[in-house]
C-alpha cells in the first residue's frame, strides 16, 4: 500500500507540472501584408516577423483559400537570411478573394510558436472560410507527443546522470576506497573485477537509453515543428530539425553516446573471465594498489564523451540563449554536474558496490560498504549545496515574481521539483545520520552490515525513484517557456465577441500603464467587423478586490479600438469585460483574462 501511495503521489506531482499547453517565447511583431488588409494585387510573398530568430520546416508558413486549399509553394524561407522573419511564396495567378496565412515555427529556446492572420486580394470573399484556429488545429501533434517529449528528455537527462556519475564515482570513491581498504588478495581482486564488470553493464545500458532517447528526441522535435504525429515525419523534416540548434546538439549527443558505449566495450573489456582491463589501473601485478590518477588516464576515452554530454541540457535549452548567458550557462552546467554525481553515486551504491561486497567476507564487506558510503556522503552533501545554489540562480533568472510560481506552468513545475528535492535531502540526511555511523561502527566491530545495510538499500532505492520523478519534471521544464516570458508582455488573447473574432493585445502586461489594442474581424470574410457602434471595457482584479475600473476606449478605425496608458495598478490575473453594442437593443459581451506582472 505504501508503494502504491508513493506511486500515486509521484504521478500527481508530475501531472501538476504538466499543463494542457505551454506558452511560447518568441513574439510576433509584424506581418506582410498587415492582418485584415485588402491589397490590390497578389503579394510576392507572405511573411511573419518575430522579436527573435525562429526556425521551422518547409511547411512552417502556410496560406489557405476559403475552401481550405493551400495556395503557397510549400517552401518557407528566411528573406535575405534574416532569422527573425519567415516567409513563403504564393502560387501565381490566384483569384480575388480572402486568404488565411498561418505559421508554426520554433523559437530560439525550442518552443513551438503558432498563429496567423487573414488578408484579401482584390476583393473580399463572400463565403465563409476556416479560421486561423481551425487551420492550426490540423497541425497539432497532441498531448501524447508533448508528454512523450517530456519523458524522453527525462530519460536523456537520467542517462547522462548515470553515465557521467558512474565514472565520477569510480574515480572519486571506488579507486580511493579500494586503495585504502584493499589487501591485494585474490578475494579483493575478485571484488574489483566484479565492480568494474557491473559498471561496464550499467554504462552500456545508460549509453543505449541515451542513444535511443537522443534519436527519439530529434524525431519528436521534428513532429512538433511540422505539427504531425511522430510516424508521419519525413526525411526533409528531420533534415530541417538537424539544422537547428536543438537538432545539432542532440545529434552530437547521440554521437557521444555511441563513443561512450564503444569505449565501455573496449576500455572495460575483461582480459579474462575474472579480470577486467581496468583492474590493472587499480591493482598492480603484485597486488599493490596504484594511485587513482592511473585509472583516470586509462579512462579518458570514457571521460571525454561523458563530459561533453553534461553540456547537452544547457546548450540545447534556455541556458545558452537567455540573458545573462554568462551566469545562466555555467549555473546550468554545475546543476547538471551535481545531479550526475548524486544519481551516478546512488546507482553505483545500489548496483556496482553490492557486486563487489558479495566477493568479500563479513568484516571486509562491511569495511568496503562503510568506506564507500563515507566517501560518497560528503560528495552528496556538496551536490545538495550545488543543486540548491544553482537552482536558486536559475529560478531568479527565469522567474521575476513569487506569483509566477503558481500562475505559470514553468513556476508550478519548479515548485514540484523543489518539493521532490526536499524529500531527497531528507533521505540523504537519514543516511548521513544513521546509516554511515552505524556501518562504521559495524566495520570497527568486524560485523556484517545486517539491518544497517538493509536500511541503506531501501533509502537508496527511494532516492533513485524520487530522482526519476525529478528528471521527468525537469524534462517538462525544458519544454516550457520561462515564467518571465509567459507572464510578461506583450500578451495576446484570441477569442470571440458575438459573431466577431477578437484579437486583444496588452503591452507590456506589467503593473502600471499598458497600451491595449482590440481588433474585431469578420471570421467569414476576414474584413474588419464594422457593426459595433460602441465598445466599453472594464477591468477587475478579483483576487485583490479591485474594480471594476472603466477604461477609456478610443475608436481608431474600422474594427480597431485602443486604450492608451490603461493603468493596471497591481500584479495578478485581471479580467477585462468587453461589451460591444451593435444596436439600440443588442450587444455582445466577452470576458477575457490577462496576467499582469
Amino acid at each position: 500500500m505504501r508503494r502504491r501511495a508513493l506511486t500515486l503521489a509521484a504521478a500527481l506531482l508530475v501531472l501538476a507540472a504538466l499543463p494542457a499547453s505551454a506558452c511560447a517565447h518568441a513574439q510576433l511583431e509584424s506581418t506582410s501584408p498587415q492582418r485584415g488588409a485588402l491589397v490590390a494585387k497578389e503579394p510576392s510573398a507572405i511573411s511573419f516577423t518575430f522579436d527573435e530568430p525562429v526556425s521551422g520546416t518547409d511547411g512552417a508558413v502556410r496560406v489557405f483559400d476559403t475552401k481550405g486549399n493551400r495556395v503557397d509553394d510549400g517552401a518557407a524561407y528566411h528573406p535575405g537570411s534574416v532569422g527573425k522573419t519567415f516567409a513563403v511564396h504564393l502560387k501565381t495567378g490566384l483569384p480575388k478573394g480572402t486568404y488565411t496565412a498561418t505559421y508554426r515555427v520554433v523559437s530560439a529556446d525550442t518552443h513551438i510558436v503558432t498563429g496567423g492572420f487573414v488578408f484579401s486580394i482584390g476583393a473580399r470573399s463572400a463565403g465563409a472560410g476556416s479560421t486561423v484556429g481551425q487551420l492550426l488545429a490540423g497541425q497539432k501533434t497532441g498531448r501524447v507527443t508533448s508528454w512523450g517529449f517530456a519523458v524522453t528528455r527525462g530519460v536523456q537527462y537520467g542517462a547522462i546522470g548515470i553515465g557521467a556519475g558512474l565514472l565520477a564515482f569510480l574515480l572519486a570513491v571506488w579507486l580511493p576506497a579500494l586503495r585504502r581498504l584493499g589487501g591485494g588478495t585474490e578475494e579483493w581482486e575478485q571484488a574489483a573485477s566484479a565492480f568494474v564488470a557491473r559498471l561496464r553493464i550499467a554504462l552500456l545500458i545508460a549509453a543505449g537509453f541515451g542513444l535511443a532517447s537522443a534519436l527519439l528526441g530529434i524525431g519528436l522535435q521534428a513532429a512538433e515543428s511540422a505539427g504531425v504525429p511522430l510516424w508521419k515525419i519525413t526525411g526533409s523534416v528531420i533534415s530541417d530539425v538537424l539544422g537547428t540548434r536543438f537538432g545539432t546538439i542532440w545529434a552530437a549527443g547521440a554521437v557521444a553516446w555511441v563513443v561512450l558505449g564503444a569505449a565501455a566495450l573496449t576500455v572495460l573489456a575483461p582480459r579474462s573471465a575474472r579480470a577486467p582491463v581496468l583492474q590493472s589501473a587499480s591493482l598492480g601485478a603484485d597486488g599493490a594498489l596504484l594511485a587513482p590518477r592511473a585509472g583516470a588516464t586509462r579512462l579518458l576515452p570514457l571521460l571525454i564523451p561523458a563530459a561533453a554530454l553534461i553540456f547537452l541540457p544547457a546548450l540545447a535549452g534556455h541556458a545558452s540563449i537567455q540573458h545573462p548567458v554568462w551566469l545562466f550557462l555555467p549555473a546550468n552546467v554545475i546543476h547538471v554536474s551535481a545531479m550526475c554525481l548524486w544519481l551516478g553515486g546512488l546507482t553505483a551504491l545500489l548496483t556496482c558496490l553490492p557486486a563487489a561486497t558479495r566477493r568479500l567476507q563479513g568484516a571486509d564487506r562491511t569495511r568496503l560498504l562503510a568506506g564507500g558510503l563515507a566517501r560518497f556522503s560528503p560528495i552528496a552533501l556538496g551536490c545538495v549545496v550545488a543543486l540548491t545554489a544553482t537552482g536558486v540562480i536559475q529560478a531568479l533568472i527565469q522567474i521575476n515574481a513569487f506569483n509566477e510560481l503558481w500562475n505559470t506552468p514553468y513556476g508550478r513545475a519548479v515548485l514540484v521539483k523543489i518539493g521532490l528535492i526536499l524529500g531527497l535531502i531528507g533521505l540523504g540526511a537519514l543516511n548521513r545520520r544513521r546509516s554511515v555511523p552505524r556501518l562504521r561502527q559495524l566495520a570497527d566491530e568486524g560485523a556484517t552490515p545486517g539491518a544497517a545495510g538493509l536500511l541503506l538499500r531501501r533509502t537508496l532505492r527511494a532516492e533513485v525513484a524520487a530522482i526519476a520523478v525529478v528528471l521527468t519534471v525537469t524534462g517538462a521544464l525544458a519544454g516550457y517557456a520561462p515564467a518571465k516570458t509567459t507572464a510578461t508582455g506583450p500578451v495576446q488573447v484570441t477569442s470571440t465577441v458575438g459573431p466577431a473574432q477578437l484579437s486583444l493585445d496588452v503591452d507590456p502586461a506589467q503593473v502600471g500603464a499598458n497600451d491595449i489594442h482590440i481588433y474585431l474581424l469578420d471570421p467569414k470574410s476576414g474584413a474588419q467587423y464594422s457593426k459595433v457602434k460602441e465598445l466599453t471595457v472594464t477591468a477587475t482584479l478579483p483576487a485583490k478586490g479591485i474594480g471594476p475600473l472603466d477604461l477609456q476606449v478610443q475608436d481608431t478605425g474600422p474594427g480597431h479600438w485602443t486604450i492608451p496608458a490603461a493603468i493596471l495598478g497591481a500584479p495578478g490575473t485581471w479580467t477585462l469585460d468587453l461589451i460591444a453594442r451593435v444596436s439600440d437593443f443588442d450587444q455582445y459581451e466577452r470576458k477575457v483574462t490577462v496576467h499582469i506582472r
Side-chain angles (χ1 to χ4, degrees), residues 456-472:
L456 173 65
R457 186 161 58 249
R458 287 176 175 174
T459 54
L460 291 178
R461 287 173 178 171
E463 285 188 65
V464 171
I467 288 179
V469 180
V470 169
L471 291 172
T472 302

Side-chain angles (χ1 to χ4, degrees), residues 522-537:
D522 187 330
K524 296 181 179 181
S525 65
Q528 290 86 352
Y529 190 79
S530 57
K531 296 182 180 180
V532 176
K533 300 183 180 300
E534 182 184 16
L535 182 71
T536 59
V537 181

Side-chain angles (χ1 to χ4, degrees), residues 63-280:
V63 184
F64 303 85
D65 60 18
T66 54
K67 296 180 180 179
N69 299 318
R70 288 185 63 176
V71 295
D72 58 87
D73 67 2
Y77 68 101
H78 291 291
S81 300
V82 177
K84 292 184 178 181
T85 301
F86 232 131
V88 69
H89 290 293
L90 297 176
K91 295 178 180 178
T92 58
L94 294 182
K96 295 180 180 180
T98 299
Y99 298 87
T100 303
T102 66
Y103 63 86
R104 184 181 180 86
V105 297
V106 184
S107 64
D109 54 9
T110 75
H111 299 136
I112 304 300
V113 190
T114 62
F117 71 99
V118 175
F119 69 99
S120 300
I121 302 174
R124 294 187 171 92
S125 300
S130 299
T131 65
V132 170
Q134 290 171 332
L135 293 170
L136 287 172
Q139 302 177 39
K140 290 183 178 180
T141 54
R143 296 185 64 176
V144 172
T145 299
S146 299
W147 286 34
F149 209 169
V151 173
T152 299
R153 289 191 186 95
V155 172
Q156 179 67 205
Y157 301 158
I160 294 172
I162 291 175
L166 283 174
L167 294 173
F169 185 91
L170 175 68
L171 292 174
V173 177
W174 171 254
L175 291 178
L178 191 63
R179 185 166 65 91
R180 180 174 179 272
L181 300 172
T185 64
E186 181 178 355
E187 188 179 70
W188 279 94
E189 290 181 9
Q190 290 178 354
S193 298
F195 180 93
V196 176
R198 186 63 63 87
L199 178 78
R200 178 172 178 260
I201 294 173
L203 283 175
L204 289 174
I205 292 174
F209 276 95
L211 176 60
S213 59
L215 297 177
L216 181 59
I218 293 172
L220 287 168
Q221 179 70 2
E224 289 269 10
S225 300
V228 298
L230 179 62
W231 56 89
K232 289 187 177 181
I233 58 175
T234 62
S236 62
V237 175
I238 292 290
S239 178
D240 290 337
V241 170
L242 290 175
T244 65
R245 181 171 60 92
F246 176 91
T248 300
I249 297 300
W250 276 59
V255 173
W257 282 119
V258 172
V259 173
L260 183 64
L265 285 171
T266 54
V267 174
L268 304 182
R271 286 182 175 177
S272 64
R274 69 175 185 85
V277 169
L278 189 62
Q279 182 180 315
S280 63

